Amino acid sequence: MVKVVDIFSHYVVGPVIPICKADLKHYEGQKFSSLEEGISFYEKYAQEACFDFRRFGNRSSGGVITFQYVVCNRQGFHTGQPLDVDVIISDDVNVSNDDEVTSKKKHRRGTKRCGCGARISFKFFSDCGAKYYLVHQFIEEHNHAMVDKDHKRFMKRNRSMNDVHHKFVEDCTKANIGPTFTFNLLKEFFGGYDVVRCTLNDVRNCSRDIKEKLKEVDVQMILNQMQEKKRICEGFFYKYQLSIDDNKLVSLFWSDAESRKHYHMFGDVVAFDTTYSINKYRMVFGLFTRKDNHGCPIAFGAGSLSSENCDAFSWLFTVFVECMGVAPRIIITDQDWGMRLAIEKVLSGTRHRLCMWHIMSKLFEKIPKSISDREKFSKEFNACVWSELLDPDEFDILWTGIVEKYGVKDHKWFKDMFAVRHLWISAYFRDVPMGSLMRTSFSESENSFFKRNQTERLDYYDSIISPKYATDLAFEKQLTSVYTDMMFRVVQELISEADKSCRMISMSTLENIEVFRVFDARKKTFTVTHEIETESFDCECKLFVRCGYLCNHLFFVLRNKDVNNILEKYVGNRWLKSELLKAVYGLTSDESASDKAMCHGRYFGLYQRAFKNKNHLIALDNFLAGIGPQIFTHDTTGSSSVDKNDSINNIYGIVVPEEITAHAPDVVSTKGGASDKKSRIKSSIEKAIEKASKLHRRCGKCHKVTDHNARSCGRM
């Protein structure tokens, strides 16, 4: 059941006084033996209260600082021009390649400065040879919320690698522990992410990713680890198949509690991609993915298969639906025939869409050599295929005109792609909710993202940075407070265009419906309708249906109607800031914390019962704090040096198994598979990319800069 909340309420009203221990607060007249001692004390206070600070200025006399000011890091205001922009090309947020949203996006950098007046000043005194500093002024009121405790580790003063970190990284490198696990160990060593004082990227810069081969025990270790994860966290899900004859791993699927929660928020459209790196057994590794409210890729689950036939994919899709409880509305895959048959068999109620990236990446090699102006053909063809403003009939007419014009109407590849146009062309998905949010499964260039989840970092920036306004429209300020920064940048461009570039062609009223004809900056006219009785708006470009946010044409009409606040149904839930999104779905920030850090044995069950009641949570916390010393009274610290098995245990969280019941799979032969990278047969996609990336030379015969030479000129 969805919880209804007021998503337009402000977070901060009036001054904010940090909550912290009384003995950490300064007071006027407080005495310190040195200036550094006073600032160090203030640093502890700021750490506890969750805000950053900086030294603001001082006075000195005779080489001695007589007055030192320290202010909140958000003191003052940004002095730059409010609308200074950098035009950038970004793929972080889904944008259309058609006339709706340009891929060139003006980046309006936000600012942390909000004129906060919190400060402290220290004054130097010398009395009978005794030198000391007194707190001259202490203002503790801030005009902004404190940083969320889950985000403390991202604060500037909480990130600094010292000798301890470097020595730890060196020791982990000697034990063949990679940077990711090194960072996790650092978290356990220091007691949590908030006190590690570095990020995963900091650790990566100090280490090399060398992993020890576990040979015959790796499969059993993985299954044992997943069994343990399931024991300590009921939300973890995994399932696998072993061969009947020799108990070798055939297939495996898993998803954690956080991924399953994300699926119910963002999983109506899912991409399934198998272009990721495969393991040493050459098993197919596939990810179920989509984009979150920041426009960043997130994974819902993953699977490994020893074959790529219909039965293998049918098993995987069946288990995926079993795990999530409901099938997706749309699933995007490549053109694998086994996947297509499996989707028809298992996901009969799901719309299947082929990945446009995989198809269009073949275009360069499919264009016949007989076409003289291949660049012109490619430009026209891409404009036709990627446009989301065409309906199916308009698309068919435009496609037919292009292939007839360039003489490729009977070309096999173009005929085959036209025959399955309902499976990949945007025109056939423009009426499907969120149908344009993803038109491709993630390419290999994006796979590395899953090694660095940025969602929490972006949540942190959303909580402290206020975007610059592009207009004086009230609903722009409204959307600033509810949309993530990544999505607000996209919407702000549309609002700015509506305010400055759109104009009304005509307006008419028919019974209870107002009809507007809006001319936009791209010299195209669209019809916007407004049903007065139900306060319903609709634009024929269908951007709101396709992507979940309003178009420039609707913003223009709303501006002309003097609308100050966008109705909640046209704000939607898809792009809300994470804090608001969790409230809409009845979740709390505690629930989103790391399961591994919170769930130990039966504690997970207790927590699930207690987290909705603050008093129950406090009672559970006090109980754990009291029982800890009783359990670990006789524990002794071990030696600083650990053997190989201990290192593996630290990395994977489970001991090396003594009994082996599940064995490593045979090295399977997958599509394009080979014994090594050099002898592997390259796919047509890879060949096309490699060919397109090669530097062209000037032909000595025709004198054109092209991909052929004088010897092959005329035969291409």
Side-chain angles (χ1 to χ4, degrees), residues 361-369 374 683-685 687-688 691:
S361 62
K362 302 175 184 177
L363 178 64
F364 186 87
E365 67 175 84
K366 298 298 181 181
I367 300 177
K369 310 301 181 182
R374 304 177 74 189
S683 68
S684 57
I685 296 176
K687 291 179 181 177
K691 187 174 183 180

Side-chain angles (χ1 to χ4, degrees), residues 158-432:
N158 287 341
R159 295 178 53 205
S160 60
M161 291 188 68
N162 54 31
D163 292 341
V164 175
H165 293 85
H166 286 283
K167 181 63 168 63
F168 196 93
V169 171
E170 291 172 1
D171 289 342
C172 289
T173 301
K174 294 176 183 177
N176 292 326
I177 300 174
T180 301
F181 294 122
T182 297
F183 181 71
N184 289 334
L185 288 172
L186 273 172
K187 183 264 295 185
E188 298 294 341
F189 179 79
F190 283 99
Y193 286 121
D194 54 338
V195 290
V196 172
R197 302 189 68 85
C198 67
T199 65
L200 176 56
N201 282 338
D202 296 330
V203 174
R204 280 180 175 152
N205 292 335
C206 302
S207 64
R208 290 168 297 182
D209 192 5
I210 303 174
K211 296 181 181 179
E212 184 174 353
K213 296 180 181 179
L214 301 176
K215 298 182 180 179
E216 297 299 326
V217 300
D218 52 359
V219 171
Q220 189 65 54
M221 282 190 61
I222 290 174
L223 298 181
N224 288 358
Q225 184 188 38
M226 291 186 174
Q227 183 180 20
E228 179 66 11
K229 285 178 178 289
K230 179 65 177 178
R231 186 187 70 81
I232 64 176
C233 177
E234 295 178 1
F236 185 84
F237 180 96
Y238 78 104
K239 203 165 189 177
Y240 63 94
Q241 282 183 315
L242 300 178
S243 59
I244 299 176
D245 298 334
D246 45 16
N247 284 343
K248 291 183 177 180
L249 184 66
V250 174
S251 51
L252 173 65
F253 171 83
W254 69 95
S255 177
D256 60 23
E258 189 79 358
S259 298
R260 297 173 75 184
K261 180 190 72 177
H262 284 158
Y263 178 80
H264 290 282
M265 291 192 288
F266 310 120
D268 47 354
V269 180
V270 172
F272 179 65
D273 189 5
T274 58
T275 62
Y276 295 83
S277 300
I278 55 180
N279 58 25
K280 63 182 180 180
Y281 304 112
R282 307 203 63 79
M283 296 183 74
V284 178
F285 177 72
L287 271 174
F288 294 90
T289 61
R290 203 199 174 184
K291 294 186 177 182
D292 65 9
N293 53 335
H294 297 285
C296 296
I298 52 174
F300 300 134
S304 291
L305 303 172
S306 58
S307 62
E308 298 176 273
N309 55 35
C310 175
D311 291 339
F313 286 122
S314 295
W315 179 90
L316 185 61
F317 295 149
T318 300
V319 174
F320 177 77
V321 175
E322 177 187 348
C323 171
M324 301 302 174
V326 61
R329 182 185 296 123
I330 300 175
I331 187 168
I332 304 172
T333 73
D334 60 25
Q335 294 173 271
D336 185 275
W337 186 250
M339 287 187 199
R340 184 174 175 181
L341 292 177
I343 291 171
E344 293 176 356
K345 178 181 178 181
V346 177
L347 305 176
S348 57
T350 298
R351 283 284 298 272
H352 183 201
R353 184 170 190 176
L354 300 178
C355 172
M356 294 187 70
W357 181 87
H358 284 94
I359 294 175
M360 294 303 292
S361 62
K362 302 175 184 177
L363 178 64
F364 186 87
E365 67 175 84
K366 298 298 181 181
I367 300 177
K369 310 301 181 182
S370 58
I371 297 180
S372 57
D373 197 341
R374 304 177 74 189
E375 293 296 330
K376 184 178 179 181
F377 170 78
S378 178
K379 183 177 180 180
E380 290 186 32
F381 190 78
N382 272 284
C384 169
V385 167
W386 290 99
S387 176
E388 294 176 319
L389 301 181
L390 301 173
D391 62 31
D393 292 336
E394 292 172 333
F395 167 80
D396 290 353
I397 294 172
L398 185 58
W399 172 294
T400 303
I402 292 174
V403 296
E404 288 181 349
K405 174 182 176 181
Y406 289 94
V408 294
K409 181 180 179 181
D410 296 324
H411 189 285
K412 185 180 185 306
W413 186 80
F414 290 95
K415 288 178 64 177
D416 291 343
M417 291 300 98
F418 186 73
V420 295
R421 60 193 182 281
H422 63 286
L423 292 177
W424 66 286
I425 293 297
S426 299
Y428 290 84
F429 292 87
R430 67 193 308 262
D431 292 320
V432 180

